[in-house]
Amino acid sequence: MKQLFVIIIIILCMCFQLVMGQEAKIVEDFRPSTVNQPERKFPQVNSQGRVRASIFAPKANKVQLDLGGVKYDMVKDANGIWTGDSDPQDEGFHYYQLNIDGASVPDPGTLYFYGAGRLGSGIEIPAKDQIFFQLKDVPHGLVSENIYFSKQTNCFRRCFVYTPPDYHKNTKTRYPVLYLQHGSFEDETGWSSQGKANLILDNLIAAKQANPMIIVMDNGYAYKPQNNQGDQKEQLVSVFEEVLITEIIPMIDNKFRTIANRDYRAIAGLSMGANQTMRIMMNHLDIFSQYGGFSGTSNYPDKDVIDVATFLDGKYKDGDALNKKIKLFWLGLGTKEPDPFPKSIGAFRAMLDQQKIKYEYYESPGTAHEWLTWRRCLYQFASKLFR
Amino acid sequence: MKQLFVIIIIILCMCFQLVMGQEAKIVEDFRPSTVNQPERKFPQVNSQGRVRASIFAPKANKVQLDLGGVKYDMVKDANGIWTGDSDPQDEGFHYYQLNIDGASVPDPGTLYFYGAGRLGSGIEIPAKDQIFFQLKDVPHGLVSENIYFSKQTNCFRRCFVYTPPDYHKNTKTRYPVLYLQHGSFEDETGWSSQGKANLILDNLIAAKQANPMIIVMDNGYAYKPQNNQGDQKEQLVSVFEEVLITEIIPMIDNKFRTIANRDYRAIAGLSMGANQTMRIMMNHLDIFSQYGGFSGTSNYPDKDVIDVATFLDGKYKDGDALNKKIKLFWLGLGTKEPDPFPKSIGAFRAMLDQQKIKYEYYESPGTAHEWLTWRRCLYQFASKLFR
């Protein structure tokens, strides 16, 4: 019996080695990433989802590829070119950087994306379902940069506004509006750049799977002007809700052909943006009728059971009333998201279930707290909006 | 006599030293550049127009600031932070990069701009006349990203389209259009990013110094699809003229409320774009009535006397006819531009003078072949368009 057990263990070990050997073997089918600068051959991605970076740094002591929280050592060749590979990455978009002798810098080969509080490099690991956000020969909407002066913050701000393909043709048609927010340490460029919001909507509209809509993407960081002089800093007071309600929405309703009522106004966001927009919607059910929370809810990061009597001033107490008022309450999450997202959103869903509040729930297979989760969320959510 | 001569030489040398000493003294009034990423303190610029760069690179052997064709050595402090200053730079916008142990990389502190064939760092040396391109509390137009599929090149392309502040309000008004092109190794983003075309027009229109107009900024690189397989590359054949005439202009006239005739259609460009657009205009006087050439003309880089009989197939032979046909022929140049620009444009102007072809000529004081020259050119040119 004992002998049999040992034999089984040995066989299991051999199987494990075989699998790990396969895993460690690097498949040489690397191709330039789709978010490289024109004509740039590096970085590259292979069919295993590994990233290969390369940079000319003849006098450097140490060069690393810094991706997904891991720093991979790169190796120098006789010509002074350093090259290195990462472990396999999840499908989708990831921020990364290079580290040259301790300096963290963007990879000169890629386009740049605002995330992690800086403009930096990005890499795209082809997703099996990428057709839904690909650039295709369908009618394309416009993404417009809209600059405005905000009195609430006493500074210039900007939003990007997606108008659907026929907006300029149907000059008498008015359109519903989705206000769509980015996550923490990101900005107003995220959704139309790495988020592909415009291409997702172009594709959905061309396939008649979504109603044409306007999408407004603004910056979720907005603070009261500070009065104090000198070194002592006041605490920053967020006024994004005030900016959105009293400045952005009136401006959009004035500048664009919107249907300016709650039935045709939705709000959604990812991560920090999901938290912000849910609070804003619950405070303004007269303004919004539809909500999408991608990888976030208003109890984040709390994982405890929610006490409806006190949570958000009791705004979820009357489930019946909310079901009558809210036309779409939509939540999404990636199956590989780390703590605290699954439990925080789990606790929130338990509260909704307990209150018998109707909502839709979507899980993005095999993705973490990253943009492929949010692209998929937008794709699913947008197809249900304004129906 | 000889003694007097020696004394004069000594005095001259002392004066020279005094002046050079002043020059070499660095004034410590550095401030963050206006084109830095949010919250970034470096790079900085002082009142002499010097650039101070700084980067954390504790293990590096050598770090340099690479600006205006000069590599300035930076110095490491005890914390591993390298800092270095450039010589005084001309007013305006300049591309630059950092060099870390031989690796040329973008400075992580700045926004990025497409120029010199890559997305890279930029620095803004405040110009005395900068108010004309500054972001001010005036009504702002929109800059829209417009994606389209081009049959001529068999690929997706895009242009940015500026629509003036009232475009969305006056839904029955139709507007004139300026087609505005970038220079070599730049792209369709240049004019609305480092070029500040939208802000220049917003300011001009607010001051009633320019008529509201649409501006279309596309990419001047457009090539016939290549048929050959394998390694042997065909010569690239530019089809930008065909793309502009048969694809871009019909698309813009279809998507935007333009006045679709030659009287209200202008074309202009900088450097390579000036050359391209002049040729296109002379081939299509039925389509364009107004032209702006910023730091370039169609004889570039040739400095020889132009033979009107043969130059551009004799298109400048009949000065009288051109004067009747062309409503505005406008040329601009920076006073510090290097060879061959002044002589090439000089030879072109001599030909226009000889042919008695009417044109306007502007010189940007103290600027070279750089964006402040072209911002000023656009400011001057746009105020004369469609009058």
Side-chain angles (χ1 to χ4, degrees), chain B residues 249-354:
Chain B
I249 293 176
M251 170 182 69
I252 295 298
D253 284 338
N254 179 41
K255 264 196 175 170
F256 295 87
R257 296 193 314 277
T258 65
I259 308 174
N261 70 54
R262 71 178 295 279
D263 289 345
Y264 294 92
R265 207 181 280 121
I267 188 164
L270 74 90
S271 194
M272 177 186 89
N275 313 336
Q276 285 183 307
T277 55
M278 188 185 288
R279 283 166 190 270
I280 292 173
M281 191 194 63
M282 296 308 287
N283 288 339
H284 301 280
L285 285 172
D286 54 323
I287 293 179
F288 305 101
S289 63
Q290 306 178 47
Y291 169 76
F294 312 160
S295 305
T297 47
S298 51
N299 61 322
Y300 172 87
D302 200 336
K303 298 176 274 189
D304 295 343
V305 172
I306 291 175
D307 175 4
V308 286
T310 56
F311 180 63
L312 273 196
D313 300 327
K315 287 212 164 61
Y316 292 93
K317 272 198 300 194
D318 189 346
D320 273 356
L322 290 179
N323 283 336
K324 278 176 197 144
K325 198 88 181 158
I326 299 174
K327 286 170 71 176
L328 177 64
F329 198 107
W330 194 98
L331 299 176
L333 184 71
T335 60
K336 289 177 73 173
E337 297 216 24
D339 192 45
F341 299 101
K343 285 185 182 160
S344 169
I345 290 168
F348 188 83
R349 289 175 61 207
M351 181 276 288
L352 293 179
D353 289 336
Q354 182 204 299

Side-chain angles (χ1 to χ4, degrees), chain A residues 37 59 61 101 143-145, chain B residues 59 61 101 119 143-145:
Chain A
Q37 291 183 36
K59 304 279 174 64
N61 304 306
D101 286 342
V143 176
S144 304
E145 181 195 38
Chain B
K59 304 278 175 60
N61 304 308
D101 286 342
L119 267 172
V143 176
S144 304
E145 182 196 36

Side-chain angles (χ1 to χ4, degrees), chain B residues 159-180:
Chain B
C159 55
F160 287 88
V161 181
Y162 168 83
T163 45
D166 285 346
Y167 184 86
H168 289 84
K169 211 181 285 173
N170 307 333
T171 54
K172 288 188 177 157
T173 309
R174 303 187 76 88
Y175 294 85
V177 187
L178 165 63
Y179 291 85
L180 183 63

Side-chain angles (χ1 to χ4, degrees), chain A residues 5 35 43 66 77 82 101 127 151 159 174 198 201 259 264 280 293 303 315 321 327 336 340 355 368 371 381:
Chain A
F5 188 72
V35 292
D66 183 358
D77 73 8
W82 295 75
D101 286 342
K151 283 182 187 162
C159 55
R174 303 188 76 88
N198 50 329
L201 265 288
I259 307 173
Y264 294 93
I280 292 172
K303 296 175 275 190
K315 287 212 163 63
K327 288 171 71 178
K336 289 178 74 174
Q355 297 302 99
W371 276 99
F381 174 65

Side-chain angles (χ1 to χ4, degrees), chain A residues 283-351:
Chain A
N283 289 338
H284 301 280
L285 285 172
D286 54 323
I287 293 179
F288 304 100
S289 63
Q290 307 179 45
Y291 168 77
F294 312 160
S295 306
T297 48
S298 51
N299 63 322
Y300 172 88
D302 200 337
K303 296 175 275 190
D304 295 343
V305 172
I306 290 174
D307 175 4
V308 286
T310 56
F311 180 63
L312 272 196
D313 300 328
K315 287 212 163 63
Y316 293 92
K317 272 199 299 195
D318 189 346
D320 273 356
L322 289 180
N323 283 336
K324 278 176 198 146
K325 198 85 182 159
I326 297 174
K327 288 171 71 178
L328 177 64
F329 198 107
W330 195 98
L331 299 175
L333 184 71
T335 60
K336 289 178 74 174
E337 297 217 22
D339 191 46
F341 299 101
K343 285 183 179 161
S344 169
I345 290 167
F348 187 85
R349 291 175 60 206
M351 181 276 288

